[in-house]
Amino acid sequence: MPKRDRSQFLRELKAAFAEITSQLNAEHGLLHFEVDVFRRFTQRAIFDGERDTAVQCFLLAATYLTEGNSAMRNAIDVSFVEPMEFGSPPNERRWAWEALPEVLKNAYVAFHGKSAV
């Protein structure tokens, strides 16, 4: 089975979250910037307490970290997982960390050297 690629990612992302389509299109095909649009959308969901949206984002990101081609895996790791914030004080958004799939937690801990909470 072929690995999931950028085109498939954008189709799934735009289908799930049509409200960020214009922002994605404005990045002119630059994958890391497109993934950052997705991360900022996810970050806003976390900060606004939109749990269902955040979880849906986490699941999509986890899928591409595990099933994506090398470019997708790298983009999700570097531009989605690494800059993710879970709030200050840390326990304020503990629910988001607890909802994060293990594969994303592992990537976060590998980069930051500790969990977010």
XYZ file of all heavy atoms in Angstrom, residues 58-108:
409
model
N -5.969 15.672 16.068
C -4.941 14.755 16.564
C -4.947 13.448 15.788
O -3.899 12.912 15.433
C -5.151 14.440 18.042
C -4.980 15.593 18.991
C -5.543 15.536 20.252
C -4.267 16.732 18.650
C -5.398 16.568 21.159
C -4.116 17.784 19.548
C -4.673 17.695 20.803
N -6.145 12.922 15.536
C -6.246 11.642 14.837
C -5.729 11.750 13.399
O -5.038 10.848 12.915
C -7.682 11.129 14.873
C -8.189 10.744 16.264
C -9.665 10.368 16.206
C -7.358 9.628 16.876
N -6.030 12.853 12.739
C -5.525 13.053 11.383
C -4.002 13.172 11.397
O -3.312 12.548 10.580
C -6.170 14.290 10.748
C -5.798 14.570 9.295
C -6.242 13.426 8.380
C -6.430 15.874 8.837
N -3.468 13.942 12.319
C -2.016 14.097 12.412
C -1.342 12.760 12.719
O -0.313 12.424 12.123
C -1.669 15.126 13.482
N -1.923 11.988 13.622
C -1.352 10.686 13.974
C -1.336 9.751 12.773
O -0.366 9.010 12.559
C -2.130 10.066 15.131
N -2.387 9.796 11.975
C -2.459 8.960 10.780
C -1.304 9.281 9.837
O -0.642 8.382 9.316
C -3.807 9.163 10.053
O -4.848 8.717 10.916
C -3.860 8.401 8.742
N -1.035 10.559 9.642
C 0.026 10.949 8.713
C 1.419 10.786 9.312
O 2.389 10.616 8.569
C -0.222 12.354 8.155
C -1.212 12.263 7.029
C -2.582 12.254 7.273
C -0.785 12.086 5.720
C -3.496 12.093 6.246
C -1.694 11.930 4.684
C -3.045 11.929 4.951
O -3.952 11.752 3.927
N 1.530 10.785 10.626
C 2.828 10.509 11.237
C 3.159 9.020 11.113
O 4.318 8.654 10.965
C 2.851 10.948 12.707
C 4.215 10.876 13.391
C 5.247 11.751 12.681
C 4.097 11.294 14.848
N 2.156 8.177 11.144
C 2.408 6.739 11.059
C 2.319 6.180 9.641
O 3.045 5.258 9.298
C 1.435 5.950 11.963
O 0.099 6.244 11.586
C 1.642 6.287 13.421
N 1.433 6.751 8.811
C 1.192 6.187 7.482
C 1.640 7.085 6.338
O 1.493 6.734 5.175
C -0.300 5.883 7.310
C -0.830 4.875 8.300
C -2.340 4.690 8.184
O -2.933 5.056 7.151
O -2.923 4.167 9.147
N 2.180 8.240 6.654
C 2.593 9.171 5.613
C 3.917 8.793 4.976
O 4.695 8.017 5.540
N 4.156 9.370 3.804
C 5.475 9.185 3.199
C 6.491 9.976 4.032
O 6.122 10.652 5.003
C 5.454 9.584 1.716
C 5.131 11.048 1.476
O 5.286 11.897 2.361
N 4.683 11.362 0.271
N 7.757 9.902 3.682
C 8.780 10.528 4.526
C 8.579 12.036 4.654
O 8.781 12.596 5.738
C 10.181 10.205 4.027
O 10.369 10.698 2.722
N 8.158 12.703 3.593
C 7.931 14.152 3.659
C 6.785 14.477 4.609
O 6.872 15.430 5.395
C 7.640 14.714 2.267
N 5.717 13.691 4.557
C 4.573 13.925 5.450
C 4.954 13.651 6.898
O 4.610 14.423 7.794
C 3.378 13.045 5.064
C 2.557 13.547 3.906
S 1.937 15.258 4.032
C 1.301 15.383 5.678
N 5.650 12.563 7.147
C 6.051 12.240 8.527
C 6.918 13.350 9.100
O 6.727 13.783 10.228
C 6.775 10.893 8.576
C 5.846 9.708 8.334
C 6.485 8.358 8.658
N 7.841 8.201 8.174
C 8.184 7.726 6.979
N 7.246 7.374 6.110
N 9.451 7.605 6.639
N 7.863 13.830 8.291
C 8.738 14.901 8.743
C 7.953 16.178 9.019
O 8.164 16.840 10.046
C 9.840 15.153 7.710
C 10.737 16.291 8.125
O 10.543 17.434 7.707
N 11.718 15.988 8.949
N 7.037 16.534 8.123
C 6.258 17.763 8.294
C 5.370 17.694 9.532
O 5.267 18.676 10.277
C 5.425 18.038 7.049
N 4.725 16.562 9.766
C 3.879 16.427 10.955
C 4.742 16.513 12.214
O 4.388 17.206 13.179
C 3.065 15.109 10.924
C 2.044 15.122 9.773
C 2.395 14.848 12.271
C 0.941 16.166 9.889
N 5.884 15.865 12.207
C 6.761 15.892 13.377
C 7.278 17.301 13.649
O 7.120 17.838 14.745
C 7.924 14.924 13.159
C 8.784 14.732 14.403
O 8.263 14.893 15.532
O 9.973 14.419 14.244
N 7.847 17.928 12.634
C 8.528 19.223 12.806
C 7.555 20.403 12.908
O 7.743 21.299 13.721
C 9.531 19.450 11.651
C 10.106 20.852 11.669
C 10.638 18.412 11.717
N 6.518 20.414 12.079
C 5.653 21.595 11.994
C 4.322 21.451 12.729
O 3.599 22.429 12.863
C 5.385 21.940 10.527
O 6.597 22.294 9.895
N 4.018 20.260 13.210
C 2.785 20.065 13.973
C 3.110 19.711 15.423
O 2.717 20.417 16.341
C 1.916 18.961 13.339
C 0.572 18.797 14.001
C -0.519 19.543 13.588
C 0.391 17.892 15.043
C -1.762 19.398 14.207
C -0.841 17.732 15.663
C -1.916 18.492 15.247
N 3.851 18.644 15.630
C 4.086 18.143 16.988
C 5.033 19.043 17.776
O 4.718 19.446 18.896
C 4.624 16.692 16.960
C 4.973 16.221 18.362
C 3.616 15.755 16.318
N 6.195 19.341 17.210
C 7.217 20.066 17.974
C 6.753 21.411 18.520
O 7.001 21.710 19.685
C 8.494 20.224 17.142
C 9.223 18.912 16.954
C 10.465 19.022 16.081
O 10.873 20.162 15.730
O 11.033 17.965 15.746
N 6.062 22.252 17.737
C 5.660 23.560 18.279
C 4.341 23.552 19.059
O 3.914 24.600 19.551
C 5.535 24.432 17.026
C 5.234 23.480 15.923
C 5.881 22.182 16.284
N 3.704 22.397 19.195
C 2.400 22.337 19.870
C 2.530 22.794 21.328
O 3.502 22.477 22.001
C 1.855 20.906 19.815
C 0.443 20.750 20.299
S -0.796 21.640 19.331
C -0.747 20.753 17.782
N 1.537 23.549 21.776
C 1.498 24.027 23.164
C 0.234 23.491 23.825
O -0.815 23.410 23.198
C 1.468 25.555 23.195
C 2.708 26.197 22.631
C 2.591 27.714 22.636
O 2.067 28.270 23.628
O 3.001 28.322 21.643
N 0.367 23.173 25.084
C -0.772 22.622 25.811
C -1.238 23.523 26.942
O -2.013 23.124 27.774
C -0.442 21.209 26.313
C -0.308 20.248 25.183
C 0.922 20.031 24.593
C -1.419 19.616 24.665
C 1.041 19.171 23.507
C -1.316 18.752 23.590
C -0.081 18.529 23.010
N -0.784 24.756 26.944
C -1.299 25.728 27.889
C -0.389 26.003 29.063
O 0.531 25.265 29.351
N -0.671 27.097 29.697
C 0.080 27.511 30.870
C -0.926 28.049 31.885
O -1.716 28.918 31.547
C 1.078 28.605 30.472
O 1.826 29.000 31.581
N -0.953 27.525 33.087
C -0.103 26.446 33.578
C -0.391 25.130 32.858
O -1.476 24.963 32.298
C -0.460 26.364 35.057
C -1.831 26.911 35.151
C -1.943 27.947 34.064
N 0.570 24.194 32.880
C 0.444 22.973 32.099
C -0.844 22.180 32.347
O -1.390 21.611 31.419
C 1.659 22.156 32.525
C 2.648 23.159 32.988
C 1.842 24.281 33.582
N -1.335 22.140 33.560
C -2.514 21.319 33.850
C -3.815 21.925 33.329
O -4.839 21.266 33.320
C -2.624 21.052 35.348
C -1.547 20.109 35.815
O -1.062 19.285 35.044
N -1.165 20.234 37.059
N -3.765 23.183 32.879
C -4.965 23.865 32.393
C -5.596 23.127 31.211
O -6.804 23.092 31.066
C -4.602 25.295 31.982
C -5.774 26.118 31.522
C -5.348 27.526 31.158
O -4.294 27.994 31.640
O -6.069 28.155 30.379
N -4.756 22.538 30.383
C -5.267 21.821 29.200
C -4.799 20.368 29.192
O -4.480 19.809 28.169
C -4.862 22.561 27.940
C -5.551 23.935 27.944
C -5.409 24.688 26.665
N -6.107 25.952 26.788
C -5.603 27.030 27.394
N -4.428 27.005 27.938
N -6.313 28.147 27.453
N -4.787 19.788 30.368
C -4.382 18.396 30.527
C -5.211 17.481 29.623
O -4.715 16.499 29.091
C -4.525 17.984 31.990
C -4.144 16.554 32.272
C -4.379 16.232 33.753
N -3.373 15.398 34.309
C -2.125 15.729 34.620
N -1.701 16.938 34.409
N -1.286 14.876 35.135
N -6.484 17.822 29.439
C -7.360 17.003 28.597
C -6.780 16.835 27.199
O -6.898 15.766 26.603
C -8.772 17.604 28.510
C -8.820 18.932 27.805
C -8.761 20.173 28.381
C -8.899 19.156 26.393
N -8.802 21.152 27.414
C -8.892 20.554 26.176
C -8.986 18.314 25.289
C -8.950 21.128 24.916
C -9.054 18.890 24.017
C -9.035 20.288 23.848
N -6.150 17.897 26.672
C -5.605 17.827 25.318
C -4.427 16.855 25.262
O -4.324 16.037 24.343
C -5.188 19.208 24.832
N -3.569 16.923 26.252
C -2.430 15.994 26.303
C -2.945 14.563 26.440
O -2.464 13.651 25.775
C -1.490 16.352 27.444
C -0.361 15.384 27.571
C -0.233 14.389 28.499
C 0.800 15.298 26.732
N 0.926 13.694 28.287
C 1.578 14.232 27.210
C 1.242 16.019 25.621
C 2.793 13.866 26.622
C 2.448 15.653 25.032
C 3.204 14.600 25.528
N -3.927 14.378 27.299
C -4.465 13.032 27.512
C -5.158 12.500 26.263
O -5.169 11.290 26.028
C -5.402 13.023 28.715
C -4.648 13.219 30.018
C -5.530 13.437 31.228
O -6.772 13.540 31.084
O -4.967 13.491 32.334
N -5.710 13.377 25.441
C -6.389 12.964 24.202
C -5.412 12.719 23.050
O -5.781 12.119 22.049
C -7.408 14.027 23.789
N -4.187 13.174 23.204
C -3.185 13.039 22.150
C -2.827 11.568 21.956
O -2.495 10.877 22.925
C -1.940 13.832 22.552
C -0.980 14.274 21.470
C -1.641 15.265 20.526
C 0.254 14.904 22.096
N -2.904 11.061 20.728
C -2.520 9.666 20.487
C -1.054 9.411 20.886
O -0.212 10.316 20.795
C -2.714 9.500 18.975
C -3.729 10.539 18.609
C -3.425 11.703 19.524
N -0.766 8.199 21.304
C 0.574 7.843 21.788
C 1.676 8.202 20.803
O 2.731 8.676 21.206
C 0.653 6.345 22.109
C 0.095 5.957 23.453
C 0.678 6.717 24.633
O 1.928 6.785 24.797
O -0.119 7.260 25.420
N 1.437 7.977 19.513
C 2.484 8.257 18.529
C 2.854 9.740 18.525
O 4.029 10.092 18.370
C 2.077 7.748 17.115
C 0.911 8.552 16.549
C 3.258 7.768 16.174
N 1.886 10.623 18.738
C 2.174 12.061 18.808
C 2.840 12.412 20.136
O 3.762 13.240 20.167
C 0.900 12.874 18.603
C 0.208 12.731 17.240
C -1.049 13.593 17.191
C 1.132 13.059 16.091
N 2.395 11.794 21.219
C 3.056 12.011 22.520
C 4.519 11.606 22.445
O 5.398 12.327 22.928
C 2.369 11.200 23.620
C 1.081 11.762 24.120
C 0.521 10.886 25.226
C -0.839 11.367 25.655
N -1.495 10.454 26.579
N 4.774 10.451 21.847
C 6.150 9.966 21.750
C 7.021 10.927 20.948
O 8.168 11.192 21.327
C 6.183 8.565 21.132
C 5.561 7.520 22.030
O 5.417 7.708 23.227
N 5.164 6.407 21.437
N 6.489 11.461 19.864
C 7.243 12.422 19.050
C 7.495 13.711 19.841
O 8.584 14.285 19.790
C 6.500 12.718 17.751
N 6.491 14.162 20.581
C 6.624 15.372 21.392
C 7.712 15.185 22.458
O 8.602 16.020 22.622
C 5.286 15.704 22.050
C 5.280 17.002 22.824
C 4.879 18.186 22.218
C 5.683 17.047 24.159
C 4.875 19.383 22.931
C 5.680 18.238 24.873
C 5.284 19.403 24.256
O 5.293 20.586 24.950
